[in-house]
Amino acid sequence: MNELDQHRYFFDSGIRFQCRRCGACCTGAPGVIRVSDEEAVAIADFLSLPVQQAIDTLLYPWENGYSVREDGDGRCLFYEEGCRIYPVRPRQCRTFPFWTAILRSEARWDSIRRHCPGIGKGRLFAKHEILDILNS
Ligand code: SF4
């Protein structure tokens, strides 16, 4: 057991979560969705696009990789009545809502919970699983 496991968190009893694919987190306020080189290739392959074309039209450079382009209203370009790339969505999307920025305070968690109908539903993620996601 490491030091983090012994620390007390508001999610010590675990958190239930199952994405309802409502799109609330894919639309609305603009934000950065990190995409690695490997993820860019997987997205291009999934959409049957040349990698460079996918990068030029759907992504933009961000730090060591890319971020996803958005419409003017903040909607992810991959969101059209559902995520068009769900099986190969970036890690940042796959790990929502178990992000350090969200779990660092219960107040922040509560504000996200009000907008995500998947929180509190579905299977229980144990504390150790949540910490593994945060540390991965
Ligand atoms: S807001 Fe929650 S339930 Fe809706 S798509 Fe995002 S993660 Fe899934």
Side-chain angles (χ1 to χ4, degrees):
M1 185 176 282
N2 67 32
E3 197 178 316
L4 282 177
D5 291 332
Q6 294 173 39
H7 192 85
R8 294 183 67 83
Y9 301 94
F10 68 87
F11 53 85
D12 276 357
S13 303
I15 291 174
R16 288 195 182 280
F17 173 70
Q18 180 164 25
C19 178
R20 317 307 271 188
R21 300 180 72 166
C22 70
C25 62
C26 319
T27 57
V32 170
I33 297 293
R34 294 169 196 275
V35 178
S36 68
D37 289 334
E38 294 76 17
E39 289 171 334
V41 170
I43 291 168
D45 285 350
F46 186 75
L47 296 174
S48 301
L49 291 173
V51 174
Q52 196 58 52
Q53 183 182 336
I55 289 171
D56 291 345
T57 58
L58 300 168
L59 308 176
Y60 63 89
W62 181 264
E63 295 188 341
N64 297 327
Y66 308 95
S67 181
V68 178
R69 289 182 190 255
E70 298 171 325
D71 273 355
D73 62 0
R75 183 176 61 86
C76 173
L77 271 198
F78 295 117
Y79 189 78
E80 290 175 7
E81 297 180 11
C83 177
R84 288 195 290 137
I85 60 164
Y86 197 80
V88 294
R89 65 200 187 285
R91 180 186 178 282
Q92 186 172 331
C93 303
R94 284 187 280 110
T95 57
F96 181 87
F98 302 120
W99 297 351
T100 304
I102 294 175
L103 289 170
R104 66 163 31 124
S105 86
E106 195 165 0
R108 176 79 175 126
W109 174 256
D110 283 342
S111 76
I112 295 296
R113 185 169 57 177
R114 284 195 286 276
H115 296 97
C116 173
I119 293 174
K121 310 276 187 349
R123 87 163 174 94
L124 184 71
F125 286 74
K127 173 184 177 181
H128 72 87
E129 289 181 276
I130 296 168
L131 290 176
D132 283 350
I133 294 169
L134 291 174
N135 291 324
S136 65

